[in-house]
Amino acid sequence: MNKSRTLKIFRWIILLSILVLTTVLGRLHQIIKIYPSIDAFCPFGGLESAWALLRYQVLLKRVALSSVILLFTTIGTALVFRRSFCGNICPLGFLQELFGIAGRKVIKRRFNLPVKIDNILRYLKYPVLILFLGLAWNTMDMAIRPYDPWVAFHHLGSEDLFSNSLAGFIILVLSLILGFFSDRPFCKYLCPMGGFLGIVSKVGITKIKRESSSCIDCKLCDKVCPVNIEVSAKELVTSAECLTCSECINSCPVNNTLFYVTPGKKRKRIPVVAVLFGTLAIFAISVTITTVTKKFLWKADTGLEQKVERLYWGPQRIKGDNTLVDIIQVYKIHPTYFVNEFNLTLEEEFYKTLNELNIEPSKMEKIVNQLYEEAGLEPRKLLGGGSCGGDH
Ligand code: SF4
Ligand code: SF4
């Protein structure tokens, strides 16, 4: 087996392993609630939390420190290997690629949009990015969640799927069906994380160079590119669309015609193996260090997510490290109630913990119970009665 074929297989093994691992984690959360929701393993949650983190030093509900760790790891990777996260790590991208591989085998051709329309639609992911970041930063909630196909994927078979993730489910199904006929449609047109990484990747070091003197113009590189870049027409691939998946390099039949290079006048070659395993190494080192230091959330019984998650078990779980925002979000109490009850004057006070506001957790527990009694409800019932609030 030649080296290129081996590298292709290694890439698929890595992507498949990550898809299986995240699927297992997602199922475990559905079955055993002590495992965190899949949001804890998504770097976009870290981006949505950025404003809350900078301004109030809190994370949005369901977002864990692991999302922020993955976000920084992904940005660090993008500064060196550009969108290598998309090409070699992201399981949602790989899921579409699997449907694409099946489509290539079954129907033997791709149905891509006319170039002009395709070029315009590719810009869609940038307003999508701005829209959902704006909403998340404004509402202090994961605004994208109901529309997120990755969340829908992990709720397949769950009773919450259609009530909480109907739009995400439709986007997932359309992305996979269309992915059978065309390449990675969600990645190309809609994914806000892809849009964000496309922007960061513009300053990324690793780029693909084509040696025009040895190129035989067979266009194999164009055919295998999962985002339809016309590699055979470029000297240097600088497009924000490039996923650094190395498929074009691994498919080129002429040695030393397509390869990765560093920037600058004296471009140095970077082997494909260094890009693939370098990306994997950055993620492995980051996740290992933060797991050992107990910052990466593998179980919901420690860390920041649990601070909010435990409230779903009832107001008796309210503790001094909960903020008023935690309580408002979980128990659906109108903020003006707290303004009057505790004479609050500043918006920032909602993001302080009960300890910082000198409010006894037992007092807050009484308040929540009393409000629910007056409404003739039980807190757990209002939340749907599920062990994790029925809203996970
Ligand atoms: S564009 Fe989005 S879905 Fe596609 S690989 Fe990148 S992060 Fe994943
Ligand atoms: S696959 Fe290689 S030889 Fe064929 S067109 Fe692309 S760069 Fe040229």
Side-chain angles (χ1 to χ4, degrees):
M1 196 187 305
N2 70 26
K3 198 172 152 198
S4 300
R5 179 106 187 113
T6 311
L7 284 169
K8 270 189 180 201
I9 291 173
F10 266 123
R11 173 175 173 262
W12 287 339
I13 291 173
I14 292 168
L15 283 161
L16 188 64
S17 309
I18 296 170
L19 178 61
V20 171
L21 174 71
T22 47
T23 305
V24 169
L25 286 168
R27 292 330 291 176
L28 279 174
H29 173 70
Q30 295 298 320
I31 301 161
I32 317 168
K33 304 299 179 194
I34 60 166
Y35 286 92
S37 74
I38 201 66
D39 305 273
F41 304 103
C42 177
F44 195 67
L47 203 52
E48 284 185 287
S49 270
W51 178 242
L53 204 55
L54 280 175
R55 182 142 188 223
Y56 306 115
Q57 291 76 55
V58 292
L59 293 167
L60 301 187
K61 181 182 160 191
R62 294 194 191 84
V63 177
L65 203 50
S66 36
S67 313
V68 182
I69 292 163
L70 287 174
L71 173 67
F72 277 105
T73 312
T74 305
I75 293 173
T77 310
L79 292 176
V80 186
F81 298 128
R82 309 185 75 224
R83 284 180 66 183
S84 187
F85 169 81
C86 293
N88 302 302
I89 302 285
C90 179
L92 179 57
F94 182 57
L95 203 55
Q96 294 168 76
E97 207 170 306
L98 282 179
F99 275 72
I101 292 168
R104 281 171 200 266
K105 288 253 180 290
V106 177
I107 52 173
K108 312 266 184 232
R109 57 170 297 197
R110 313 307 284 150
F111 294 89
N112 291 320
L113 291 171
V115 176
K116 273 192 183 159
I117 299 172
D118 176 79
N119 282 344
I120 294 168
L121 289 183
R122 288 203 193 220
Y123 284 103
L124 253 181
K125 54 185 172 285
Y126 300 107
V128 170
L129 171 70
I130 293 166
L131 173 73
F132 283 110
L133 282 191
L135 283 172
W137 293 358
N138 220 356
T139 60
M140 294 284 177
D141 205 355
M142 290 187 79
I144 200 170
R145 207 169 189 270
Y147 309 93
D148 188 338
W150 190 229
V151 170
F153 175 74
H154 289 281
H155 285 79
L156 291 175
S158 149
E159 56 191 29
D160 298 329
L161 178 65
F162 295 119
S163 51
N164 292 345
S165 291
L166 180 61
F169 176 68
I170 293 170
I171 294 170
L172 174 71
V173 172
L174 284 178
S175 299
L176 298 183
I177 293 175
L178 292 176
F180 189 82
F181 299 97
S182 181
D183 294 306
R184 287 201 185 212
F186 180 73
C187 296
K188 283 193 293 191
Y189 305 123
L190 284 181
C191 180
M193 189 68 202
F196 173 73
L197 288 177
I199 296 166
V200 179
S201 78
K202 278 295 189 187
V203 291
I205 293 171
T206 315
K207 295 196 169 63
I208 291 172
K209 183 169 167 32
R210 186 180 63 93
E211 200 62 69
S212 48
S213 57
S214 55
C215 175
I216 55 170
D217 205 26
C218 65
K219 301 198 187 303
L220 265 178
C221 46
D222 304 346
K223 279 188 199 130
V224 295
C225 177
V227 283
N228 319 121
I229 296 170
E230 207 183 347
V231 182
S232 66
K234 309 223 179 310
E235 289 290 315
L236 200 63
V237 179
T238 54
S239 165
E241 298 291 314
C242 175
L243 307 181
T244 323
C245 63
S246 313
E247 285 293 299
C248 56
I249 300 178
N250 288 334
S251 302
C252 179
V254 188
N255 277 344
N256 300 320
T257 298
L258 272 183
F259 41 83
Y260 287 114
V261 288
T262 57
K265 280 190 184 157
K266 288 187 180 172
R267 297 183 186 281
K268 290 232 163 52
R269 286 198 193 188
I270 307 171
V272 173
V273 67
V275 174
L276 179 61
F277 288 101
T279 303
L280 190 64
I282 293 174
F283 274 86
I285 291 169
S286 165
V287 172
T288 305
I289 291 175
T290 52
T291 299
V292 171
T293 52
K294 298 200 184 327
K295 297 283 186 285
F296 199 92
L297 188 75
W298 290 100
K299 274 194 176 177
D301 58 352
T302 57
L304 288 161
E305 187 182 74
Q306 198 249 351
K307 186 167 82 72
V308 172
E309 290 283 343
R310 66 170 182 247
L311 297 184
Y312 286 105
W313 292 85
Q316 73 278 10
R317 299 283 179 107
I318 295 171
K319 293 218 166 70
D321 63 346
N322 286 121
T323 62
L324 290 179
V325 165
D326 295 342
I327 292 157
I328 287 165
Q329 283 184 342
V330 173
Y331 296 110
K332 317 277 189 263
I333 294 169
H334 201 278
T336 49
Y337 180 84
F338 292 116
V339 172
N340 301 332
E341 179 74 19
F342 300 114
N343 295 323
L344 302 179
T345 49
L346 298 170
E347 188 197 336
E348 280 88 331
E349 290 176 289
F350 282 91
Y351 293 91
K352 288 186 174 171
T353 63
L354 298 186
N355 285 342
E356 287 168 333
L357 293 167
N358 286 323
I359 299 170
E360 280 295 314
S362 57
K363 180 171 181 186
M364 186 57 79
E365 183 191 338
K366 269 188 209 148
I367 289 172
V368 175
N369 278 329
Q370 192 185 329
L371 285 171
Y372 273 75
E373 258 172 53
E374 282 169 15
L377 294 164
E378 280 179 31
R380 292 278 301 282
K381 283 212 174 124
L382 187 78
L383 294 162
S387 56
C388 197
D391 176 25
H392 37 87

